C-alpha cells in the first residue's frame, strides 16, 4: 500500500464534490477521452435520476488528491442489478443465487447505459494510476460486495488490471472507419456489389415512403425537438416491453450542457415528425446511441441511425463511427469487428476459479468468432 501514501483518498457520492473544472481537466487529459467521460454527461445521468441510487446506481467515485490537485479518479457505482451494462453477468448472479449467496450489491466502473470504450482509471501519470488500483483493491476487500467489474476500458488498462488480479473478458463491437471518402457514394464504391446494391435499395425505400430527413445540431435543437425525441425513445422501449433508462430531464440537460457533441436526425413525413435518432460525437469519433420511432417505415432505422450519421462523418472528417453494442447486421453496412475488454474481480474464491475457467473457454470462442467475421469482410478488396 506504500504507493498510495502520497495521496489523500476520498470516496464521493456526487460529482459536485469534485467540481466540473477539476473533473474535466483530469478526464480530458487522458489518452483518447470521449464525451461520455465529461462532467456534463455523467452529472446529467445522476441529477436526472437515470443513474442514481433510486434506480439501483449508487455513485461511489474513488478520488486521489495530491495536495489540492485531483491526481486520479475512478467512476464507480454500487450496483443492485445488472441492467444498463452491456457486459452480461446474469448467469453469474443466477449461479450465486442457486448456491445461497448474494451477488448484489457489486461494484461497477462504467459509463451507465453506454457501451463505449474509454479510460476508466483516470490518472495524471502512471504512479497515480497504480495508486488508484491499490485503493480499489482495498475498497473491494473491505466492503460488503461480491465483486468488482470494470467495463470497456482500453486494452492497456485492462492488462494493468489483469496484473492486479482481475480476470479479463473480451467482446466484440462493430466500428466504421473513414478512409477519407469524398462522399457517401465514394464509400459505397468500396463495398461488394451486393452490399452496395442493398444499401441503395434501403435508402430508396425510405424516400419512396415519402420520408425526408433533417439533421439538427445540438446547438440548434429546441425544447420541442428534445420532447419529440424522448417520445420516440420511450415509444420504442414500450414496443419491446421494456422500461427506458433515460428521461426527458436527462436529454434536456445534455442538450443544454454539451450541445456541440450532439446531433439529432429527425425523420418527417408530410411535415410531421415520425422518428428520430441521437448520436454523440467529438472531432474524431461519432457514437451511435439512441433511436426511436412512432410508426414503422421499412429501413427507416438504418437511414436515421446509420446512413445519415455516416454521411455526417464523411462531411465533417470524423474518423470513426462506433456503432454500439452487438449487431452483426452492421457489417453489411461497412462496419468491421473490434475487440472490447472488461475486467472482473470476485471475492468468493470458488466462484472466482469457476468464472476464470469459463472466461478461458469463452475467450477461445471470441477469437474464433472474430476470425469468422473477418472472413465475411464486406469490402471489395477485403481490407
Amino acid at each position: 500500500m506504500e504507493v498510495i501514501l502520497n495521496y489523500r483518498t476520498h470516496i464521493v457520492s456526487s460529482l459536485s464534490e469534485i467540481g466540473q473544472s477539476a473533473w474535466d481537466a483530469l478526464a480530458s487529459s487522458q489518452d483518447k477521452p470521449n464525451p461520455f467521460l465529461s462532467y456534463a454527461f455523467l452529472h446529467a445521468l445522476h441529477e436526472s435520476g437515470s443513474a442514481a441510487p433510486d434506480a439501483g446506481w449508487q455513485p461511489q467515485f474513488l478520488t486521489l488528491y495530491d495536495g489540492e490537485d485531483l491526481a486520479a479518479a475512478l467512476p464507480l457505482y454500487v450496483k443492485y442489478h445488472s441492467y444498463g451494462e452491456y457486459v452480461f453477468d446474469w448467469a453469474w448472479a443466477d449461479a450465486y443465487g442457486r448456491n445461497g449467496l448474494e451477488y448484489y450489491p457489486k461494484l461497477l466502473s462504467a459509463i451507465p447505459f453506454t457501451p463505449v470504450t474509454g479510460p476508466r482509471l483516470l490518472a495524471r501519470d502512471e504512479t497515480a494510476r497504480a495508486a488508484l488500483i491499490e485503493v480499489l483493491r482495498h475498497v473491494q476487500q473491505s466492503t460488503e460486495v461480491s465483486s468488482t467489474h470494470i467495463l470497456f476500458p482500453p486494452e492497456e488498462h485492462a492488462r494493468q488490471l489483469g496484473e492486479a488480479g482481475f480476470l479479463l473478458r473480451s467482446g466484440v463491437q462493430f466500428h466504421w472507419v473513414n478512409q477519407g471518402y469524398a462522399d457517401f457514394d465514394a464509400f459505397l464504391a468500396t463495398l461488394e456489389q451486393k452490399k452496395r446494391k442493398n444499401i441503395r435499395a434501403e435508402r430508396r425505400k425510405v424516400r419512396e415512403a415519402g420520408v425526408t430527413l433533417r439533421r439538427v445540431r445540438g446547438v440548434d435543437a429546441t425544447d420541442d425537438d428534445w420532447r419529440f425525441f424522448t417520445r420516440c425513445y420511450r415509444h420504442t422501449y414500450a414496443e419491446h416491453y421494456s422500461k427506458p433508462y433515460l428521461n426527458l430531464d436527462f436529454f434536456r440537460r445534455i442538450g443544454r450542457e454539451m450541445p456541440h457533441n450532439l446531433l439529432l436526425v429527425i425523420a418527417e413525413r408530410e411535415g410531421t415528425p415520425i422518428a428520430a435518432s441521437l448520436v454523440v460525437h467529438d472531432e474524431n469519433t461519432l457514437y451511435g446511441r439512441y433511436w426511436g420511432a412512432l410508426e414503422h417505415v421499412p429501413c427507416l432505422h438504418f437511414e436515421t441511425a446509420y446512413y445519415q450519421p455516416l454521411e455526417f462523418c464523411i462531411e465533417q472528417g470524423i474518423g470513426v463511427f462506433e456503432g454500439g453494442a452487438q449487431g452483426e447486421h452492421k457489417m453489411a453496412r461497412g462496419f468491421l469487428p473490434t475487440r472490447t475488454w472488461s475486467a472482473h474481480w470476485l471475492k468468493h474464491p470458488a466462484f472466482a476459479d469457476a468464472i476464470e475457467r469459463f472466461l478461458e473457454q469463452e475467450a477461445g470462442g471470441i477469437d474464433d468468432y472474430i476470425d469468422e467475421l473477418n472472413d465475411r469482410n464486406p469490402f471489395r478488396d477485403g481490407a
Side-chain angles (χ1 to χ4, degrees):
M1 295 291 290
E2 290 183 1
V3 71
I4 69 172
L5 294 181
N6 293 328
Y7 301 99
R8 180 165 47 89
T9 303
H10 284 278
I11 297 176
V12 303
S13 59
S14 171
L15 279 176
S16 61
E17 299 177 52
I18 300 170
Q20 183 167 4
S21 60
W23 179 269
D24 283 343
L26 181 64
S28 63
S29 70
Q30 306 304 296
D31 185 34
K32 298 182 180 178
N34 60 56
F36 306 102
L37 277 172
S38 69
Y39 184 98
F41 189 86
L42 290 170
H43 200 53
L45 285 171
H46 302 159
E47 293 300 298
S48 68
S50 301
D54 287 348
W57 295 78
Q58 181 177 318
Q60 187 173 295
F61 284 28
L62 300 187
T63 60
L64 271 61
Y65 283 85
D66 181 3
E68 297 301 315
D69 297 328
L70 183 63
L74 177 72
L76 189 67
Y77 299 86
V78 179
K79 281 295 300 294
Y80 297 90
H81 54 66
S82 292
Y83 294 104
E85 298 179 12
Y86 301 95
V87 175
F88 302 113
D89 62 352
W90 294 105
W92 303 358
D94 181 64
Y96 268 65
R98 284 188 280 106
N99 285 273
L101 300 172
E102 296 291 335
Y103 189 67
Y104 305 105
K106 64 179 184 178
L107 292 176
L108 179 83
S109 178
I111 307 299
F113 322 118
T114 309
V116 169
T117 293
R120 301 292 177 260
L121 302 165
L122 310 183
R124 68 182 186 185
D125 54 41
E126 288 305 317
T127 301
R129 183 169 290 113
L132 185 62
I133 293 174
E134 286 296 327
V135 170
L136 175 61
R137 290 173 63 174
H138 176 74
V139 168
Q140 65 193 15
Q141 288 282 8
S142 61
T143 54
E144 294 298 320
V145 295
S146 70
S147 51
T148 302
H149 310 266
I150 299 181
L151 309 186
F152 302 104
E155 182 176 357
E156 58 270 26
H157 291 182
R159 298 296 180 192
Q160 282 183 280
L161 290 162
E163 293 171 1
F166 281 70
L167 305 176
L168 300 188
R169 188 179 193 183
S170 58
V172 179
Q173 289 185 354
F174 297 88
H175 298 173
W176 176 89
V177 177
N178 187 351
Q179 301 292 349
Y181 303 115
D183 52 30
F184 193 84
D185 284 338
F187 156 61
L188 287 183
T190 66
L191 296 174
E192 294 177 344
Q193 192 271 340
K194 183 178 180 181
K195 304 288 191 302
R196 187 164 63 246
K197 181 179 179 181
N198 286 345
I199 290 173
R200 285 177 173 150
E202 288 172 349
R203 305 198 79 180
R204 187 169 59 250
K205 285 180 181 178
V206 173
R207 292 194 303 270
E208 291 174 349
V211 175
T212 58
L213 287 299
R214 61 185 178 96
R215 299 181 207 153
V216 181
R217 303 294 290 264
V219 293
D220 300 317
T222 66
D223 193 62
D224 284 344
D225 291 328
W226 291 119
R227 284 178 173 275
F228 172 70
F229 173 76
T230 304
R231 183 183 169 203
C232 291
Y233 170 79
R234 295 181 64 86
H235 184 267
T236 296
Y237 265 85
E239 282 199 327
H240 291 86
Y241 304 102
S242 298
K243 182 179 179 181
Y245 295 129
L246 306 171
N247 54 34
L248 176 59
D249 185 32
F250 167 76
F251 292 118
R252 279 174 165 162
R253 285 175 180 270
I254 62 171
R256 183 171 61 248
E257 300 297 330
M258 49 186 293
H260 293 282
N261 296 115
L262 306 177
L263 175 71
L264 281 166
V265 179
I266 298 177
E268 298 176 334
R269 181 154 55 190
E270 297 180 353
T272 300
I274 60 171
S277 71
L278 172 63
V279 298
V280 179
H281 69 91
D282 55 24
E283 293 180 353
N284 304 308
T285 308
L286 181 141
Y287 306 88
R289 294 287 5 107
Y290 317 107
W291 138 269
L294 301 183
E295 60 181 80
H296 174 70
V297 175
C299 303
L300 184 55
H301 173 250
F302 298 136
E303 181 65 36
T304 57
Y306 297 113
Y307 303 144
Q308 289 291 323
L310 279 174
E311 286 189 343
F312 180 78
C313 286
I314 293 169
E315 292 169 7
Q316 300 297 317
I318 295 173
V320 178
F321 179 179
E322 295 193 11
Q326 290 92 40
E328 287 185 25
H329 63 277
K330 299 184 181 89
M331 284 194 68
R333 292 156 183 91
F335 292 73
L336 295 177
T338 301
R339 190 183 297 271
T340 61
W341 294 93
S342 59
H344 309 267
W345 173 86
L346 296 103
K347 184 176 292 187
H348 195 290
F351 272 96
D353 289 343
I355 290 176
E356 182 175 20
R357 292 193 298 271
F358 163 76
L359 293 179
E360 288 173 353
Q361 295 176 346
E362 184 185 59
I366 292 292
D367 291 341
D368 292 342
Y369 178 53
I370 291 175
D371 288 341
E372 176 194 340
L373 291 172
N374 284 326
D375 288 339
R376 292 152 48 190
N377 190 301
F379 292 92
R380 287 190 304 166
D381 60 2

